[in-house]
Each structure stands twice: as structure tokens, then as C-alpha cells.
């Protein structure tokens, strides 16, 4: 039985596949997946990524790192929106997330409509790598991207098209250098 279901080819001729799977990780329920390739090898690799993703909820170190990086990203963006003074509705929604987080709420609940992106490594290895993109109140324009390679959390920040196969220096985030509240 296939883990990924309802697989369809893209209509724009890009050679991508779209489907759905049951998420049993830090997002629960049906989740969309984009596979950047059309062959059976790509589907097989994507299913390995789904299995890996579904195990992340049990990795307490990974989950703590994810929540920490999400919080730093949230605080940084809140401060940036407030400094601009032009996005009061964004700052207001973000302040609600900050207040809930600071009172013990789970920051992950503010990530909505997540989907998994899978791209096979260019070097031909079978190393696991994927990104999760979700909407969030503190970055409504570019969403939030979470990039995983192997068992490492490589990036948490705005979705800028980065992949798990980029060089580590491409994952730099200023908010990881700064002290947050």
C-alpha cells in the first residue's frame, strides 16, 4: 500500500507530482506533498521522506530545536513589522501568537496549511531531505519554511526557495544571532 495517495501530474508540464498523505507528526491529519520529479524512483524516495517526517515528533531534541528556532523567527519578524509601522494587522496577529507562546502555548499551532516538498539529492545518494512550508501570522507574505536534511534541522525562516541540498551558508538567519525576548 502506498503512503502517498491521490498522485496527480502537474498541469504546467514541470514534471512534478502532487499528492496527499496522512501526517502523524507535528502536524496532524491529511497533508499535501509536492514531488519534484515524476518517476517511480521519486515516489519511492518521497515515501521515505514521509516516513522520516512522521517520526520527527518522537525526537525531543529536534522538536525543542524547532520550537526554539520558530520562536526566534517569530520575535524577529514581530519586531520588524512593528519597526515598519505599516502592518498593524500583522503585528496584532503576531502579538497574539507571542502572548500565547509566552504563556506556555505551543508555537506549532500557529503554523497552518502545511505541505511537504521533496526533491531527490543531486549527488545520487539516498540521504533524506525535504522542506515543510506552512502559513504563519508573523510572515504572511513568504510563509514559514522548515528544512530538514537527515536528522538535522537546517533552516527555519521565510520560504525563499531553499532546498535541503543547499550549502549550509545559504541557511543563515540573522535572528539566530540576536537575543530575543
Amino acid at each position: 500500500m502506498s503512503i502517498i495517495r491521490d498522485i496527480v501530474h502537474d498541469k504546467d508540464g514541470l514534471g512534478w507530482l502532487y499528492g496527499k498523505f496522512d501526517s502523524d507528526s507535528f502536524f496532524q491529519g491529511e497533508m499535501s506533498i509536492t514531488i519534484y520529479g515524476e518517476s517511480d524512483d521519486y515516489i519511492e524516495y518521497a515515501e521515505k521522506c514521509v516516513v522520516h517526517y512522521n517520526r520527527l515528533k518522537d525526537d525531543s531534541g529536534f522538536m525543542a530545536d524547532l520550537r526554539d528556532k520558530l520562536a526566534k523567527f517569530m520575535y524577529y519578524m514581530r519586531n520588524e513589522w512593528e519597526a515598519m509601522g505599516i502592518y498593524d494587522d500583522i503585528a496584532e496577529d503576531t502579538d497574539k501568537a507571542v502572548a500565547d507562546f509566552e504563556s506556555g502555548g505551543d508555537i506549532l499551532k500557529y503554523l497552518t496549511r502545511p505541505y511537504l516538498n521533496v526533491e531527490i539529492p543531486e549527488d545520487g545518494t539516498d540521504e533524506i531531505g525535504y522542506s515543510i512550508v506552512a502559513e504563519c501570522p508573523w510572515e504572511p507574505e513568504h510563509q514559514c519554511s522548515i528544512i530538514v536534511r537527515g536528522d538535522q534541522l537546517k533552516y527555519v525562516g521565510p520560504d525563499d526557495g531553499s532546498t535541503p541540498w543547499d550549502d549550509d551558508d545559504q541557511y543563515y538567519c540573522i535572528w539566530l544571532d540576536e537575543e530575543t525576548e
Side-chain angles (χ1 to χ4, degrees):
M1 183 175 168
S2 182
I3 295 172
I4 302 170
R5 64 182 181 283
D6 304 329
I7 297 174
V8 295
H9 295 265
D10 73 282
K11 295 179 173 97
D12 298 322
L14 297 172
W16 298 352
L17 298 171
Y18 301 97
K20 304 225 180 270
F21 68 94
D22 292 323
S23 173
D24 184 32
S25 194
F26 47 90
F27 297 111
Q28 298 286 312
E30 185 176 81
M31 196 161 146
S32 295
I33 185 170
T34 301
I35 305 167
Y36 297 107
E38 292 184 291
S39 73
D40 289 343
D41 290 342
Y42 281 80
I43 295 170
E44 182 180 322
Y45 177 78
E47 290 192 344
K48 289 178 185 177
C49 291
V50 169
V51 168
H52 183 273
Y53 160 76
N54 275 333
R55 288 188 201 140
L56 288 178
K57 70 180 182 306
D58 299 323
D59 183 337
S60 59
F62 181 92
M63 295 305 295
D65 190 27
L66 174 59
R67 285 180 173 95
D68 179 61
K69 287 179 177 167
L70 279 169
K72 288 178 179 178
F73 177 40
M74 177 180 66
Y75 285 120
Y76 178 83
M77 290 307 300
R78 179 198 58 186
N79 293 341
E80 289 297 301
W81 291 124
E82 287 178 349
M84 285 187 239
I86 56 175
Y87 290 105
D88 290 339
D89 56 334
I90 293 171
E92 182 179 323
D93 290 343
T94 301
D95 283 343
K96 289 176 189 174
V98 168
D100 183 47
F101 174 70
E102 289 178 349
S103 67
D106 190 355
I107 194 168
L108 286 168
K109 77 179 184 182
Y110 289 95
L111 300 182
T112 59
R113 299 174 39 115
Y115 58 93
L116 196 75
N117 291 320
V118 176
E119 188 173 325
I120 286 184
E122 293 177 4
D123 64 5
T125 66
D126 63 348
E127 181 179 18
I128 295 296
Y130 49 88
S131 65
I132 303 156
V133 177
E135 293 180 9
C136 68
W138 53 89
E139 181 48 288
E141 185 176 339
H142 298 108
Q143 301 175 309
C144 178
S145 179
I146 300 165
I147 297 178
V148 177
R149 184 188 320 146
D151 290 328
Q152 294 183 331
L153 179 60
K154 299 303 266 184
Y155 175 81
V156 175
D159 183 27
D160 63 2
S162 294
T163 76
W165 315 119
D166 293 336
D167 293 329
D168 284 348
D169 63 341
Q170 291 178 274
Y171 301 129
Y172 172 76
C173 301
I174 192 171
W175 48 89
L176 297 179
D177 293 342
E178 297 180 354
E179 283 299 315
T180 55
E181 301 185 17

